[in-house]
C-alpha cells in the first residue's frame, strides 16, 4: 500500500469519528461511453503558470435533439503555436437505454478552436433559439455562433470579445435588462512565457509561482449591442475600479432588487461582489456585505464558485473552493445580500483543509429535495503536495462529495467512484446527460482524460424537470419555485463551478412525494406565472 493510500485511510478514519457515510452515487462510465478526450497542457518541465489552471468543460444542446452534448476545452503547446495545433472537441450525445454514449462531431460542427483554452461559457447571444459558445483562452478569446443545424461559425474576429488578457471564465448575463445577454469575462494575471519567473516553494525547491509573482489583470464587462456584437463597457460601468486576479464568476440577484449582480472568486486577493446599480454601473460591496474574506478576515485563493439557496430560507448563499490549508468557504446569506461565514457550522472546514478545490456545485444528488455538494480537487504546488506517491501525478488529489443531512450540515462520502482516483481535476459541468432526472457530472482533468460520471443514486425518489424559455430562448435568471414551498427554488443559469458551462434546465428532487406540483416562474423582468399541476418524473417545457 502506497504512503498516500495509507494517508487517505488515516484521514478517512479521522473523519469517521466526526461523521462520514458510505454511499454509491456515481459510476465512472468514461470508457463505456466512448469518451476519449485527453487534455494537453503543454508542460515542458519549466513550471509555467498557465499550464496548471485549465481546462473547463461545457454542455449544450448543439443540434436541438433535447440531449445535451459536450464541448471539451483543449490546451496544446505553450510555445511554437504557429504549428499544427489541437482543437477543442465537440461530442454528440447518442445515449440510449443501453447507457451514456458519445461520439466526436467536431468536424461536422465546423469547430476548429485551437486557442490555448481555459474556460467556456454558453448563452443564446443572438436570441435565435440555439446556444452559442464563448471560449476564455490564454491568448485571444473566441465566440462561436450556433447556426441551428448542429454547426458553428466563428465570430471572435468581429464580436469585440477577443481581448488581450489571460482569460479563465465567463458569465453570460443580461445586466441592463434589454433582453440581450451581456458577458462578464474573468481575467487572471499578466503571465507570459517570455516573462516567466523562477520560483521556489515552501521546501525551497523549484515550484510553480504563486499568482502574486505577476500583476493581476482587470476583468471585462461587454454589453451585447447587436445580436452577438459586443462593446467593452468595463470602465464606464466601474468594473475596472478593482483588480483581483479572478478565476471564477457567477451571476445572481443577491439583494433581490430585480437586477443581476456578479460574484467573482479571486486568487489570492479579496473576492468581489459587484452590485448592479442599473444605469449607475456596478459597486463592489463584498467587503461591507461579509463576502470578500473569510470569517477570520483573511482573503483566500478562490477558484470555483456556486450560488444556491442551500438552506431553503429564500435567499442565495455562496460556496467557493480554495487552496490547500485554507479550507473551502460557505457564506450563508442572512437576508438581502448580507453574509456570514458558516463553513465550520456546516461541517465543511476540516474535510476540505488538505485539498485545493476547483470545479464545484450544489446539486441534489439523490433527489431527496435538498442540495448536496461536490468539489473537484487538484494541487497547484509541487511542494505542498509532496505526500503523493511516486506513481501518482505530481499535482494529483482525490475529489470530494458531501451529502446534505437536511439540517444544514454536510456529511462526506468516502467510498464513491467519484472520490477514489487521484487526478488533477479542474472544471466540472453538471448535466442530466441521459434525461433520467438525476444530475450526472463531467470532470475535466489537467493533462488527463475527461471523465464522465453517471449518477446512480436516485433511490426511487421522484423528480420534475423543467426547460424554461422566454419565447424561443432559455429564460436565463428566471426563478422557479414549487407552489406552496416558496423557499424551494432554483434559477435558470449555466455559469458557476470553475471555467465550465452547465445544464440550463432545472430539476427539483421530490423525494417520495407523488403529488403533481405546480411551478411558479418569476421571469427576469419580474412578471410571475404559474404552471401545472405537472406530471412527475419527466421534463416539461415552460414557455412565455
Amino acid at each position: 500500500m502506497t504512503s498516500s493510500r495509507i494517508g487517505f485511510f488515516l484521514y478517512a478514519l479521522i473523519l469517521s469519528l466526526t461523521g462520514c457515510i458510505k454511499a454509491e452515487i456515481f459510476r465512472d462510465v468514461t470508457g463505456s461511453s466512448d469518451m476519449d478526450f485527453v487534455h494537453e497542457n503543454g508542460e515542458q518541465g519549466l513550471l509555467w503558470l498557465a499550464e496548471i489552471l485549465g481546462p473547463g468543460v461545457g454542455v449544450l444542446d448543439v443540434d436541438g435533439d433535447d440531449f445535451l452534448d459536450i464541448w471539451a476545452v483543449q490546451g496544446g503547446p505553450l510555445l511554437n503555436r504557429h504549428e499544427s495545433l489541437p482543437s477543442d472537441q465537440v461530442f454528440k450525445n447518442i445515449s440510449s437505454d443501453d447507457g451514456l454514449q458519445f461520439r466526436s462531431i467536431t468536424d461536422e460542427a465546423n469547430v476548429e478552436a485551437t486557442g490555448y483554452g481555459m474556460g467556456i461559457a454558453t448563452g443564446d447571444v443572438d436570441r435565435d433559439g440555439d446556444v452559442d459558445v464563448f471560449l476564455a483562452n490564454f491568448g485571444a478569446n473566441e465566440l462561436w455562433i450556433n447556426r441551428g443545424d448542429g454547426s458553428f461559425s466563428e465570430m471572435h474576429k468581429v464580436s469585440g470579445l477577443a481581448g488581450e488578457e489571460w482569460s479563465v471564465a465567463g458569465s453570460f448575463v443580461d445586466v441592463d435588462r434589454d433582453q440581450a445577454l451581456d458577458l462578464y469575462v474573468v481575467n487572471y494575471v499578466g503571465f507570459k512565457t517570455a516573462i516567466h519567473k523562477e520560483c521556489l516553494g515552501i521546501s525551497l525547491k523549484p515550484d510553480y509561482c504563486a499568482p502574486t509573482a505577476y500583476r493581476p489583470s482587470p476583468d471585462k464587462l461587454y454589453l451585447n449591442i447587436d445580436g452577438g456584437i459586443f462593446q467593452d463597457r468595463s470602465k464606464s460601468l466601474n468594473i475596472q475600479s478593482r483588480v483581483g486576479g479572478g478565476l471564477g464568476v457567477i451571476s445572481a440577484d443577491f439583494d433581490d432588487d430585480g437586477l443581476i449582480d456578479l460574484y467573482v472568486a479571486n486568487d489570492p486577493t479579496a473576492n468581489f461582489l459587484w452590485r448592479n446599480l442599473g444605469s449607475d454601473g456596478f459597486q463592489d460591496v463584498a467587503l461591507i456585505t461579509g463576502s470578500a474574506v473569510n470569517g477570520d478576515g483573511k482573503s483566500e485563493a478562490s477558484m470555483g464558485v456556486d450560488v444556491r439557496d442551500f438552506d431553503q430560507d429564500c435567499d442565495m448563499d455562496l460556496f467557493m473552493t480554495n487552496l490547500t490549508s485554507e479550507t473551502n468557504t460557505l457564506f450563508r446569506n442572512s437576508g438581502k445580500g448580507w453574509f456570514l461565514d458558516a463553513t465550520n457550522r456546516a461541517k465543511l472546514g476540516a474535510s476540505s483543509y488538505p485539498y485545493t478545490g476547483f470545479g464545484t456545485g450544489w446539486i441534489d444528488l439523490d433527489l431527496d429535495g435538498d442540495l448536496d455538494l461536490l468539489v473537484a480537487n487538484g494541487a497547484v504546488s509541487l511542494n505542498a503536495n509532496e505526500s503523493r506517491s511516486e506513481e501518482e501525478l505530481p499535482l494529483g488529489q482525490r475529489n470530494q462529495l458531501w451529502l446534505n443531512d437536511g439540517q444544514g450540515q454536510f456529511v462526506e462520502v468516502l467510498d464513491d467512484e467519484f472520490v477514489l482516483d487521484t487526478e488533477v481535476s479542474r472544471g466540472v459541468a453538471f448535466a442530466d446527460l441521459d434525461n433520467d432526472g438525476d444530475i450526472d457530472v463531467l470532470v475535466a482533468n489537467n493533462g488527463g482524460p475527461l471523465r464522465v460520471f453517471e449518477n446512480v443514486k436516485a433511490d426511487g425518489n421522484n423528480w420534475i424537470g423543467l426547460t424554461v424559455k422566454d419565447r424561443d430562448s432559455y429564460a436565463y435568471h428566471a426563478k422557479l419555485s414549487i407552489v406552496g414551498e416558496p423557499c424551494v427554488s432554483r434559477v435558470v443559469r449555466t455559469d458557476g463551478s470553475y471555467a465550465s458551462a452547465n445544464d440550463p434546465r432545472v430539476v427539483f428532487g421530490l423525494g417520495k412525494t407523488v403529488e403533481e406540483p405546480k411551478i411558479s416562474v418569476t421571469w427576469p423582468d419580474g412578471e410571475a406565472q404559474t404552471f401545472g399541476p405537472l406530471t412527475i418524473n419527466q421534463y416539461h417545457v415552460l414557455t412565455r
Side-chain angles (χ1 to χ4, degrees):
M1 182 179 293
T2 66
S3 59
S4 64
R5 283 289 184 182
I6 294 172
F8 171 77
F9 285 112
L10 287 174
Y11 174 67
L13 177 62
I14 293 171
L15 282 182
S16 69
L17 302 177
T18 58
C20 66
I21 59 175
K22 294 183 177 181
E24 183 185 19
I25 299 172
F26 290 109
R27 184 177 298 131
D28 185 347
V29 295
T30 307
S32 62
S33 67
D34 285 342
M35 176 54 63
D36 60 356
F37 178 83
V38 177
H39 175 255
E40 301 175 30
N41 62 18
E43 63 90 16
Q44 296 184 12
L46 299 177
L47 303 179
W48 288 318
L49 183 59
E51 72 190 41
I52 61 173
L53 287 184
V57 59
V59 293
L60 68 157
D61 185 356
V62 169
D63 49 8
D65 65 353
D66 295 326
F67 277 87
L68 290 174
D69 310 300
I70 298 172
W71 188 300
V73 175
Q74 185 58 281
L78 281 161
L79 294 180
N80 300 319
R81 294 199 56 82
H82 57 279
E83 299 177 359
S84 178
L85 297 172
S87 170
D88 291 8
Q89 295 292 302
V90 181
F91 294 89
K92 180 174 174 57
N93 187 340
I94 55 173
S95 301
S96 66
D97 292 341
D98 294 328
L100 291 174
Q101 199 78 25
F102 304 94
R103 68 174 178 87
S104 176
I105 57 166
T106 309
D107 291 340
E108 300 168 42
N110 193 45
V111 171
E112 189 176 2
T114 57
Y116 190 93
M118 287 286 154
I120 178 173
T122 58
D124 184 1
V125 301
D126 50 6
R127 291 188 61 81
D128 63 352
D130 45 45
V131 179
D132 311 303
V133 171
F134 169 77
L135 300 176
N137 292 330
F138 179 64
N141 299 325
E142 302 177 32
L143 179 66
W144 291 86
I145 296 295
N146 193 325
R147 295 170 172 169
D149 61 356
S151 67
F152 292 83
S153 298
E154 58 174 303
M155 287 285 291
H156 29 286
K157 295 176 182 177
V158 298
S159 67
L161 297 176
E164 299 177 355
E165 296 82 8
W166 173 4
S167 301
V168 176
S171 173
F172 279 112
V173 52
D174 181 7
V175 299
D176 51 5
R177 301 185 73 171
D178 66 350
Q179 299 186 332
L181 289 178
D182 311 302
L183 179 66
Y184 189 101
V185 177
V186 171
N187 294 319
Y188 194 42
V189 297
F191 166 83
K192 297 182 183 299
T193 55
I195 58 171
H196 167 69
K197 298 179 181 180
E198 295 183 0
C199 296
L200 301 178
I202 56 177
S203 301
L204 299 182
K205 298 177 182 178
D207 206 343
Y208 291 100
C209 290
T212 50
Y214 305 93
R215 289 187 177 182
S217 298
D219 294 344
K220 293 286 185 71
L221 178 57
Y222 298 91
L223 294 190
N224 188 340
I225 59 173
D226 185 18
I229 305 300
F230 292 81
Q231 185 179 79
D232 183 355
R233 294 290 303 279
S234 312
K235 291 183 179 179
S236 63
L237 294 176
N238 205 40
I239 289 298
Q240 294 190 345
S241 62
R242 300 290 305 278
V243 182
L247 287 177
V249 60
I250 196 164
S251 53
D253 183 1
F254 289 101
D255 52 1
D256 200 27
D257 66 350
L259 297 172
I260 305 302
D261 313 301
L262 291 148
Y263 188 86
V264 178
N266 288 320
D267 173 23
T269 55
N271 295 335
F272 302 152
L273 174 50
W274 292 113
R275 177 170 289 167
N276 191 336
L277 304 177
S279 59
D280 292 328
F282 288 80
Q283 178 186 7
D284 178 20
V285 297
L287 190 60
I288 62 173
T289 59
S291 59
V293 296
N294 67 17
D296 295 326
K298 297 179 180 178
S299 59
E300 297 173 303
S302 299
M303 272 72 78
V305 61
D306 197 15
V307 172
R308 308 276 174 172
D309 183 6
F310 92 97
D311 51 3
Q312 297 184 0
D313 64 350
C314 288
D315 49 38
M316 292 293 186
D317 309 295
L318 275 161
F319 180 82
M320 63 220 61
T321 55
N322 297 317
L323 191 68
T324 297
S325 78
E326 290 182 342
T327 84
N328 299 326
T329 302
L330 167 60
F331 287 125
R332 182 179 178 274
N333 192 334
S334 57
K336 297 295 183 182
W338 301 93
F339 296 90
L340 295 171
D341 186 339
T343 308
N344 291 327
R345 179 176 296 181
K347 294 189 176 181
L348 290 170
S351 55
S352 63
Y353 187 85
Y355 301 99
T356 293
F358 279 83
T360 188
W362 267 312
I363 53 175
D364 187 355
L365 292 170
D366 48 8
L367 298 177
D368 66 350
D370 52 37
L371 293 172
D372 310 299
L373 191 60
L374 178 152
V375 172
N377 295 316
V380 293
S381 168
L382 299 172
N383 294 180
N385 206 44
E386 286 185 329
S387 62
R388 68 195 184 281
S389 65
E390 290 184 2
E391 64 267 26
E392 290 177 332
L393 295 170
L395 299 177
Q397 294 181 340
R398 71 175 184 89
N399 299 327
Q400 291 180 282
L401 289 171
W402 294 266
L403 289 179
N404 191 327
D405 68 0
Q407 304 299 317
Q409 295 185 331
F410 293 85
V411 183
E412 187 171 6
V413 178
L414 291 179
D415 65 341
D416 188 78
E417 288 191 16
F418 180 80
V419 307
L420 294 181
D421 289 331
T422 299
E423 295 183 299
V424 189
S425 298
R426 295 297 186 244
V428 176
F430 302 93
D432 183 4
L433 295 170
D434 46 11
N435 290 341
D436 65 352
D438 52 32
I439 305 303
D440 311 299
V441 171
L442 300 168
V443 178
N445 289 301
N446 181 282
L450 175 65
R451 297 283 182 193
V452 182
F453 291 94
E454 181 184 4
N455 190 326
V456 294
K457 178 58 180 173
D459 287 338
N461 286 335
N462 297 313
W463 57 278
I464 188 165
L466 305 161
T467 299
V468 188
K469 293 196 171 184
D470 192 350
R471 283 83 181 178
D472 294 325
S473 297
Y474 287 110
Y476 299 100
H477 293 97
K479 182 179 179 180
L480 285 70
S481 61
I482 298 176
V483 173
E485 299 181 65
C487 291
V488 180
S489 63
R490 303 285 187 268
V491 175
V492 179
R493 68 158 66 88
T494 61
D495 58 0
S497 186
Y498 171 78
S500 297
N502 303 300
D503 192 338
R505 299 172 298 178
V506 166
V507 174
F508 287 99
L510 302 175
K512 302 304 180 184
T513 301
V514 296
E515 181 179 352
E516 296 183 344
K518 293 182 179 181
I519 302 296
S520 173
V521 178
T522 302
W523 301 98
D525 61 5
E527 180 183 344
Q529 192 172 355
T530 299
F531 296 84
L534 300 174
T535 304
I536 61 174
N537 297 329
Q538 69 179 57
Y539 278 93
H540 301 265
V541 179
L542 309 184
T543 303
R544 179 164 70 162

